[in-house]
Amino acid sequence: MKIKRVLAIHDLCSFGRCSLTAAVPVLSAMGHQVCPFPTALYSNNLTYGTFASEDLTQQMAAYMQKWEELQLSFDAIYSGFLANAAQAESVARCFDRFGGKGKTIIVDPAMGDDGKLYPVFDSTMVAAMKKLAARATVITPNYTEACLLTDTPYAPAPPTEDQLDTVCEKLLALGPKAVVITSVPCDAQHISITSMEASQGFPESYRVDRLPFGTCGTGDIFTSTLAGYLLKGKDLNQCVQGAADFLSYVIQATLDAGTDPREGVLLEGCLWKLLLPATKNCTTCAG
C-alpha cells in the first residue's frame, strides 16, 4: 500500500503539544508520511501568556522553490496556525504549486476561540482565512471561527438547527467542498461537531461529552485525525466520528493524569488507539 504524503503547514511549538507536535505523531501513527512546513517557531504555546517566537515567512518561498526543483509532490496539504495574515499568500501559492489534480486540501482556520480572536491576531486574519477556505477541500473551524468567517454574531448559547444550517451554507458559499465545525454549543453535558458537504441538503451533527478541559492543541489533534481518516478513503461522517472519539479519549486520559493543562494533552500514551480504534481497552498498549 502506498504511503500517503501530507504537507503540514503549521507553527512549531517547542513546549506545549499543538500544531506540528500534534499533527506529526497523529498522522504518522495513522500510516501517513508528514512533511513539516513550519510557519513560525514558538518557545511554547500561547496558554503560558508569554513566549519567544520567530516568523518563518521569508523561508517559505525558498522551501517551495527547492521542492519544485526536486520534483517533489504531496497527496494532501493541511494548513493550520499561521504567523500572520500576510503569510496566507504564501500558503495560497503552496496550494497552487502542489495542490492540483484533485488532491486533498484541508484548512484549519486557527484564529480564535470562546467568541474572540486569539490576542496575536486582528481582523485581517479573518479576511485571509476566508481566501484560504475558498481553496479547500475541507475546512475545520471551531464554532467561534465559523462565526468569524461568516460574519455571524457569536453567542455561547446553542444555535438552533436553522441558525447552524445557515452558518454551514455560508461557509460552503466561501468555496470549500465540505465543512466541519467543532465545539458547537449543545447543552451542559455535551458539545457537537457539525459537518456538511456541498452535495448535502442539510448538516449532520455528532455529539460528544463536554469534558472540563481546555488548552491549545485539541483542535489540531481533531483535524489531524480527521485528515488521516480522509486519506484512508473514509466518508466524512466516519472521519468526524473517528476523530471526535479519539480526541475525547485523549482528553479523558489527560484529565485522569491531572497534568498542567498548559502542557497540552497527553498524546503520546494514546496513539495506540489510532492503531486499534475498535479496542475499548488495552493495558499492554496503553502501559
Side-chain angles (χ1 to χ4, degrees), residues 10 27 37 41 45-46 49 61 69 81 98 104 122 140 143 165 175 183 189 202 216 218 234 236 244 251 263 273:
H10 298 258
L27 285 163
F37 193 6
L41 302 178
N45 68 36
L46 303 184
E69 290 176 10
F81 189 93
F98 301 102
T104 301
D122 59 27
T140 61
Y143 186 62
D165 182 75
S183 302
Q189 289 77 41
F202 55 87
C216 286
T218 53
K234 295 182 180 294
L236 186 61
I251 291 175
E263 295 181 18
K273 193 74 171 176

Side-chain angles (χ1 to χ4, degrees), residues 13 15-18 44-50 215-216 262-263:
C13 280
F15 199 87
R17 303 166 184 86
C18 64
N44 48 270
N45 68 36
L46 303 184
T47 63
Y48 285 88
T50 183
T215 189
C216 286
R262 295 177 299 178
E263 295 181 18

Side-chain angles (χ1 to χ4, degrees), residues 10 28-29 37 44 98 109 113-114 131 181-182 188 199 212 223 233 239 270 273:
H10 298 258
S28 297
F37 193 6
N44 48 270
F98 301 102
D113 205 354
D114 297 324
K131 292 179 180 179
I181 308 174
T182 62
S199 58
T223 302
C239 296
C270 299
K273 193 74 171 176

Side-chain angles (χ1 to χ4, degrees), residues 63-127:
Y63 277 41
M64 290 188 282
Q65 181 62 36
K66 189 57 63 178
W67 294 335
E68 284 191 323
E69 290 176 10
L70 295 171
Q71 299 184 348
L72 301 178
S73 63
F74 308 94
D75 297 290
I77 303 175
Y78 163 29
S79 72
F81 189 93
L82 306 184
N84 53 65
Q87 197 174 71
E89 295 180 9
S90 296
V91 177
R93 286 194 290 272
C94 182
F95 292 170
D96 288 336
R97 296 165 81 168
F98 301 102
K101 301 176 183 177
K103 295 180 181 178
T104 301
I105 297 177
I106 300 162
V107 173
D108 180 3
M111 57 181 171
D113 205 354
D114 297 324
K116 57 185 180 295
L117 287 165
Y118 295 136
V120 293
F121 296 142
D122 59 27
S123 60
T124 60
M125 181 58 80
V126 179

Side-chain angles (χ1 to χ4, degrees), residues 127-155:
M129 286 299 184
K130 286 181 180 180
K131 292 179 180 179
L132 291 184
R135 315 284 293 279
T137 309
V138 182
I139 61 173
T140 61
N142 61 33
Y143 186 62
T144 291
E145 292 156 352
C147 290
L148 289 167
L149 289 170
T150 59
D151 302 310
T152 300
Y154 174 86

